[in-house]
Amino acid sequence: MTSEPNLLAVIQRQLNELNKSEAKVAQAILNAPEEATRSSIASLAAAAGVSEPSVNRFCKRFGATGFPDFKLQLATSLASGVRYVSRAVEFSDDINTFPTKLFDNAINALMTAKEELPLKAIARAVDQIAQARRVYFFGLGTSAAVARDAEHKFFRFNVPVFTHEDPLMQRMLAASAGVGDLFFFISHTGRTKVLVEAAEIARQTEATIVSLTAEGSPLADKSHCCINVKVEEDTEQYLPMTSRLVQLVILDVLAAGVTLRRGEGFTPHLARIKDSLKDTRFQTS
Amino acid sequence: MTSEPNLLAVIQRQLNELNKSEAKVAQAILNAPEEATRSSIASLAAAAGVSEPSVNRFCKRFGATGFPDFKLQLATSLASGVRYVSRAVEFSDDINTFPTKLFDNAINALMTAKEELPLKAIARAVDQIAQARRVYFFGLGTSAAVARDAEHKFFRFNVPVFTHEDPLMQRMLAASAGVGDLFFFISHTGRTKVLVEAAEIARQTEATIVSLTAEGSPLADKSHCCINVKVEEDTEQYLPMTSRLVQLVILDVLAAGVTLRRGEGFTPHLARIKDSLKDTRFQTS
DNA sequence: GCTCATTATGTAGTAAATTTACAAATATTC
DNA sequence: GAATATTTGTAAATTTACTACATAATGAGC
């Protein structure tokens, strides 16, 4: 992938270094980029008022092998530009608009997070979870639900897993920790006092502290390993929406990482857990 | 924007409805999408082992005017960087591949869900939640965490919200329900016996039953309103990954819907709730 | 201001790629 | 098992893109 992030910007920038007919082509493309991706070399040449080979030369000047290749690059750069805009729900929205907006925001958050995945921290966290004798998932508010979800995933690895929403329980468990215990803190801001305090207490023991939170936050400072999640939560919104989705997928990643660590021989164990649910369900007719 | 957000997902989904040679073309494209955008109709036909017109027909089947137009759409959908559809994690994967796969799967699930959003059911559910005097969110296993998350959202609307993971509590609460009570059941399969039974019990009262589950499932049959979520969970995977993400976003949508219903005058109330958390956090330096 | 060299642009032909029309092959129905 | 519908391929037509070359424009040196 050698293609420029934004072809239109490149064209714009070089506009005055182009000779007459190339400039005409550039102008025609800048005027109607989407249309340019769909038109033939002949129609674009006509639109710009130049000959076809001029268009072709223009394309080669911008690194393309020819006109079709140029169109491809143009289409690609147009597509990636539009995507990353999260739109807030407004009171003027109706049923046809706001659900789509929320889904778009969620998708954007995951796409953004995917691009800046802290792989090193993730790998390290997988190591530490795989080695732990006991794992505690602690979160409050929305993150409590995330912790609960994590509990439902990680118990499968033959390691005792605990969650507690009660800050007092969290403190006490943190205080009584020892070697092999792993505390996994989940917090979007990383500034929730009672949670940070619990982390502080745990840190004074032999336990390992891993956190899924914002880099540079008080909670991150208390951790041996911090998985930094960059999610720009819409501050106008009164409900945290997207950050917890990213957290959940990160936890999926960690769970998958531990599974891979356990190796292929571990699948029968997972299969057994899955099968245990069979009788709790109505069979498909 | 008339172009599909994710052409590959669409192709993948329709794979078994295609005839032989079209399926071959589909496979060739899914195997090497980037290459397909760069190749001519002849080389793609050769790669798929079919004739050129077959490739052309394939393109038209997916809404393109022809092969070049199809390539354009494909390039556009690839530009987002989201790779294949539902690629299972394999034991040969390493830290550089499996996290991306999981994120892609999550993104794809949300994109697919977004395309087939049951807006009518959502609107109806918003109505019913907005009118309810009391709301119970019930789910088990992974869905229990989703229910918990919902609780953290919906209490903001001045309506008493309850969650219980205990099936016995769920039964008893269902039995003692009356007018104005709303039971919101969350279940990916819609076949979990104890949950369906609770729904059945609730249905015998004056309460309203809303469910977020699979259409046509026993749970859906017991509901006044069923929000159908089509998520093809990878059955080889031992952990439910993507369905709960879609459920969470749907619940966000419902919460947003209720907020819009309450109207602009409701924002101070939400602001007050948000402000109440201020003192629980360490201030940003 | 003229000539030569250089660069820029267009014309026309050619090659390649795409599409259409039609025929053969395959599957489906009664 | 014949008749019909569907699928697939062949070959020709058409569109599209590229190359080679010619002409026009520009600019430098005298």
Side-chain angles (χ1 to χ4, degrees), chain A residues 1 5 34 49 65 72 85 103 131 134 136 143 155-156 179 184 200 203 215 218 221 236 245 249 251 259 270 279:
Chain A
M1 285 284 150
E34 295 89 354
T65 65
L72 209 74
V85 265
F103 267 86
Q131 286 167 22
R134 211 168 0 191
Y136 297 90
S143 301
F155 82 90
R156 292 157 207 256
V179 179
F184 197 113
E200 208 162 0
R203 189 60 197 258
E215 206 166 42
D221 292 345
E236 294 306 304
L245 296 176
V249 179
L251 283 163
T259 307
L270 296 175
D279 292 338

Side-chain angles (χ1 to χ4, degrees), chain B residues 131-204:
Chain B
Q131 286 165 21
R133 276 187 327 143
R134 215 174 349 196
V135 181
Y136 297 91
F137 287 99
F138 286 171
L140 292 170
T142 308
S143 301
V146 177
R148 183 71 62 190
D149 186 89
E151 186 188 14
H152 275 116
K153 280 222 151 51
F154 282 87
F155 82 90
R156 291 158 208 254
F157 301 121
N158 272 338
V159 176
V161 183
F162 304 95
T163 330
H164 280 280
E165 300 193 23
D166 181 345
L168 298 183
M169 278 304 291
Q170 293 177 353
R171 285 176 92 98
M172 292 189 287
L173 286 165
S176 59
V179 180
D181 287 344
L182 188 143
F183 288 87
F184 197 113
F185 290 95
I186 302 164
S187 167
H188 175 49
T189 62
R191 324 193 76 86
T192 309
K193 282 178 189 168
V194 289
L195 207 65
V196 175
E197 285 163 11
E200 209 161 359
I201 292 168
R203 189 60 196 257
Q204 281 156 23

Side-chain angles (χ1 to χ4, degrees), chain B residues 44-192:
Chain B
L44 181 58
V50 298
S51 70
E52 298 178 20
S54 288
V55 176
N56 195 280
R57 280 187 286 262
F58 173 89
C59 297
K60 286 183 174 168
R61 192 185 222 284
F62 285 92
T65 65
F67 182 69
D69 184 46
F70 177 84
K71 280 201 294 188
L72 210 73
Q73 290 189 27
L74 185 61
T76 306
S77 101
L78 286 175
S80 66
V82 178
R83 283 283 155 272
Y84 297 71
V85 221
S86 293
R87 290 256 315 220
V89 174
E90 326 207 333
F91 279 98
S92 53
D93 281 326
D94 69 349
I95 185 73
N96 293 306
T97 61
F98 78 86
T100 311
K101 276 188 183 178
L102 290 175
F103 266 86
D104 283 348
N105 287 350
I107 292 165
N108 280 319
L110 291 179
M111 282 177 145
T112 309
K114 178 190 147 191
E115 275 164 45
E116 319 185 327
L117 233 39
L119 292 180
K120 261 182 286 181
I122 288 172
R124 216 170 137 212
V126 169
D127 276 3
Q128 290 170 327
I129 294 169
Q131 286 165 21
R133 276 187 327 143
R134 215 174 349 196
V135 181
Y136 297 91
F137 287 99
F138 286 171
L140 292 170
T142 308
S143 301
V146 177
R148 183 71 62 190
D149 186 89
E151 186 188 14
H152 275 116
K153 280 222 151 51
F154 282 87
F155 82 90
R156 291 158 208 254
F157 301 121
N158 272 338
V159 176
V161 183
F162 304 95
T163 330
H164 280 280
E165 300 193 23
D166 181 345
L168 298 183
M169 278 304 291
Q170 293 177 353
R171 285 176 92 98
M172 292 189 287
L173 286 165
S176 59
V179 180
D181 287 344
L182 188 143
F183 288 87
F184 197 113
F185 290 95
I186 302 164
S187 167
H188 175 49
T189 62
R191 324 193 76 86
T192 309

Side-chain angles (χ1 to χ4, degrees), chain A residues 13-236:
Chain A
R13 205 174 329 129
Q14 296 205 10
L15 203 59
N16 33 6
E17 291 165 32
L18 299 173
N19 37 28
K20 259 182 254 168
S21 50
E22 283 179 338
K24 282 187 202 167
V25 177
Q27 206 54 62
I29 291 170
L30 290 172
N31 282 343
E34 295 89 354
E35 208 186 311
T37 62
R38 279 180 264 109
S39 51
S40 71
I41 193 167
S43 53
L44 181 58
V50 298
S51 68
E52 298 179 20
S54 288
V55 176
N56 194 282
R57 281 187 282 262
F58 173 89
C59 296
K60 286 183 175 167
R61 193 185 223 283
F62 284 94
T65 65
F67 183 68
D69 183 47
F70 178 84
K71 280 203 291 189
L72 209 74
Q73 289 189 29
L74 184 59
T76 305
S77 101
L78 286 177
S80 52
V82 188
R83 283 259 152 79
Y84 294 83
V85 265
S86 62
R87 299 170 301 162
V89 174
E90 327 210 329
F91 278 97
S92 54
D93 281 325
D94 70 350
I95 184 75
N96 294 304
T97 59
F98 78 84
T100 311
K101 276 188 181 178
L102 290 174
F103 267 86
D104 282 345
N105 288 349
I107 292 165
N108 282 331
L110 291 179
M111 286 191 350
T112 309
K114 177 193 150 191
E115 261 159 50
E116 317 186 326
L117 232 40
L119 292 179
K120 258 183 287 181
I122 289 172
R124 214 171 138 211
V126 169
D127 275 4
Q128 289 171 326
I129 294 170
Q131 286 167 22
R133 276 186 327 143
R134 211 168 0 191
V135 181
Y136 297 90
F137 286 99
F138 287 171
L140 292 170
T142 308
S143 301
V146 177
R148 184 71 63 190
D149 187 271
E151 186 186 16
H152 275 118
K153 280 225 151 49
F154 284 85
F155 82 90
R156 292 157 207 256
F157 301 122
N158 272 338
V159 175
V161 183
F162 304 94
T163 330
H164 281 279
E165 301 194 21
D166 181 345
L168 298 182
M169 278 303 292
Q170 293 178 353
R171 284 176 93 98
M172 291 190 288
L173 287 165
S176 61
V179 179
D181 286 343
L182 187 144
F183 288 87
F184 197 113
F185 290 96
I186 302 164
S187 167
H188 174 51
T189 61
R191 325 192 77 84
T192 309
K193 284 180 187 167
V194 289
L195 207 65
V196 175
E197 284 161 12
E200 208 162 0
I201 294 168
R203 189 60 197 258
Q204 282 155 21
T205 70
E206 300 287 310
T208 309
I209 323 284
V210 179
S211 63
L212 181 51
T213 191
E215 206 166 42
S217 65
L219 179 55
D221 292 345
K222 305 278 179 288
S223 315
H224 293 105
C225 170
C226 168
I227 302 172
N228 178 33
V229 190
K230 291 195 197 99
V231 184
E232 283 171 42
E233 198 75 70
D234 201 329
T235 47
E236 294 306 304

Side-chain angles (χ1 to χ4, degrees), chain B residues 197-219:
Chain B
E197 285 163 11
E200 209 161 359
I201 292 168
R203 189 60 196 257
Q204 281 156 23
T205 70
E206 300 287 309
T208 307
I209 323 284
V210 179
S211 64
L212 182 51
T213 190
E215 206 167 41
S217 65
L219 179 55

